[in-house]
Amino acid sequence: MTRRLTILTAAALLTSTAQGQGATTVRLGFFPNLTHAPALVGLEKGYFQKALGSAKLDPREFVSGTSLMEAFAAGQIDIAYVGPGPAINGAARGMPLQIVAGASEAGAVLIARGDSGIKSYKDLSGKRVAVPSLGNTQDISLRHLLKEQGLKAQADGGNVTVTAVPPADVLAAFAAGRVDATLVPEPWGAVLEAQGHRMIGNEKTVWRGGQYPTTVVIVNTKFAAGNPALVTAFLKAHADAVAYLNKNPAAARTVINAELEKLTGQKVDLRVLQRAMVRTRFTTGLDLDALNDYAALNVEAGYARSVPDLRAFILPGALKK
């Protein structure tokens, strides 16, 4: 049985006790980043709407995991693409969510402003470093990276100022000199690099040799229980988008670029986007060991008190074998 079928079958089994299908709209949360490319492709190619049939897709753009999870907690989102950090924190705090698939791995880099004087991780001392939002996946990774270098964020008693800047806005923040470096999802790292700024850490050196999830798919468990067919249909469309990304990378770059321009007003050079895609992997599978490591970093960063039993929050068929 293929992984795709394994995921879809598990989704059907998970929700087999639900009765009926009540939703006429599916509210989808995502970010305008390459690491959310399955969402961008699914929207631009019409995969999601076609799979959902008569149910209307209501896509909602967010700039960070923090703001998305606030909307999720308020019951405004049914299905979402989000980083593993916010997803794990949300589940541990009792939000009705389940992680149902992987979406992307790696795809985040540490870039320093060209005139910042930063040439290594240790040079981050005394500098201002942007992450998409406090408590998100890149923030958690950065705090671990700082610890490895004997540094701390200012809020933890150190001298590195960690500040929240939406990824698409970090270009303007660099231009204005408001931040000295950023740990940012692609393609914004590749865009900064193309502008002459310096890469300090690539997707492999930032953490775990690049073997980590950057984006996962979550569903509201109450929505899933009431709408099993819609969840299964969405996962099929998600799997189709991932397959398209992996089988047609050149065509996918054009599709992604069109969606990014609609969402951010910024058109990325296709050669730059190609460089960013090389640093990002797309998959429907999830690495449980990597997710457990993320959960441990959550604790280390002070965003959680303990590592939860993640198997309770993950659709079994979504795990890599």
Side-chain angles (χ1 to χ4, degrees), residues 34 37-47 241 244-245 248-263 268 270 273 277:
L34 178 63
L40 304 181
V41 167
L43 291 170
E44 185 70 17
K45 299 282 288 182
Y47 291 162
Y244 181 82
L245 281 158
N248 308 281
R253 285 195 290 274
T254 301
V255 171
I256 292 167
N257 214 12
E259 194 67 18
L260 285 177
E261 188 173 12
K262 286 181 191 175
L263 297 168
V268 180
L270 289 178
L273 194 54
M277 285 187 73

Side-chain angles (χ1 to χ4, degrees), residues 4-321:
R4 177 177 157 185
L5 289 176
T6 301
I7 292 173
L8 299 180
T9 301
L13 290 172
L14 170 75
T15 53
S16 63
T17 58
Q19 299 296 317
Q21 179 168 302
T24 57
T25 300
V26 177
R27 300 165 298 179
L28 173 67
F30 68 101
F31 309 164
N33 297 334
L34 178 63
T35 47
H36 288 227
L40 304 181
V41 167
L43 291 170
E44 185 70 17
K45 299 282 288 182
Y47 291 162
F48 297 142
Q49 187 57 76
K50 182 178 180 181
L52 295 176
S54 60
K56 179 183 176 184
L57 179 69
D58 178 7
R60 301 185 182 188
E61 174 195 355
F62 292 84
V63 297
S64 73
T66 303
S67 58
L68 186 149
M69 293 309 295
E70 288 173 354
F72 197 94
Q76 298 169 356
I77 299 296
D78 304 311
I79 303 175
Y81 288 83
V82 70
I88 292 170
N89 277 335
R93 292 170 183 167
M95 285 189 197
L97 71 84
Q98 187 162 41
I99 303 172
V100 292
S104 69
E105 297 179 340
V109 294
L110 180 62
I111 302 288
R113 212 180 63 239
D115 60 354
S116 66
I118 301 172
K119 296 181 180 178
S120 69
Y121 290 148
K122 285 192 175 297
D123 294 333
L124 295 174
S125 178
K127 302 296 186 180
R128 298 160 295 177
V129 186
V131 293
S133 67
L134 300 182
N136 90 319
T137 302
Q138 282 73 47
D139 178 32
I140 293 166
S141 299
L142 175 64
R143 289 170 195 269
H144 178 66
L145 186 154
L146 293 177
K147 183 180 180 182
E148 288 183 323
Q149 300 298 319
L151 302 174
K152 291 181 181 178
Q154 198 172 48
D156 300 326
N159 68 349
V160 180
T161 302
V162 181
T163 185
V165 178
D169 294 343
V170 80
L171 310 182
F174 264 48
R178 293 198 302 272
V179 296
D180 302 302
T182 181
L183 181 49
V184 66
E186 296 287 15
W188 311 113
V191 172
L192 288 169
E193 189 181 23
Q195 292 179 350
H197 300 294
R198 184 180 296 116
M199 177 175 288
I200 304 301
N202 64 29
E203 79 284 2
K204 295 180 181 177
T205 60
V206 165
W207 187 55
R208 219 172 180 273
Q211 302 300 312
Y212 56 88
T214 306
T215 304
V216 300
V217 181
I218 62 173
V219 299
N220 181 302
T221 53
K222 295 179 181 176
F223 175 85
N227 303 275
L230 289 179
V231 173
T232 301
F234 180 86
L235 286 175
K236 178 183 181 303
H238 168 64
D240 287 344
V242 170
Y244 181 82
L245 281 158
N246 290 325
K247 292 179 180 177
N248 308 281
R253 285 195 290 274
T254 301
V255 171
I256 292 167
N257 214 12
E259 194 67 18
L260 285 177
E261 188 173 12
K262 286 181 191 175
L263 297 168
T264 69
Q266 301 184 59
K267 190 172 184 177
V268 180
D269 186 293
L270 289 178
R271 291 168 298 183
V272 174
L273 194 54
Q274 181 180 17
R275 187 181 307 162
M277 285 187 73
V278 169
R279 300 170 182 160
T280 311
R281 294 186 302 277
F282 303 105
T283 177
T284 58
L286 290 163
D287 184 335
L288 181 61
D289 290 339
L291 289 171
N292 274 318
D293 285 351
Y294 254 129
L297 294 193
N298 267 339
V299 176
E300 179 185 280
Y303 290 120
R305 292 183 177 179
S306 60
V307 175
D309 179 5
L310 293 182
R311 287 188 179 274
F313 305 122
I314 296 175
L315 186 66
L319 292 175
K320 288 182 175 179
K321 303 300 181 185

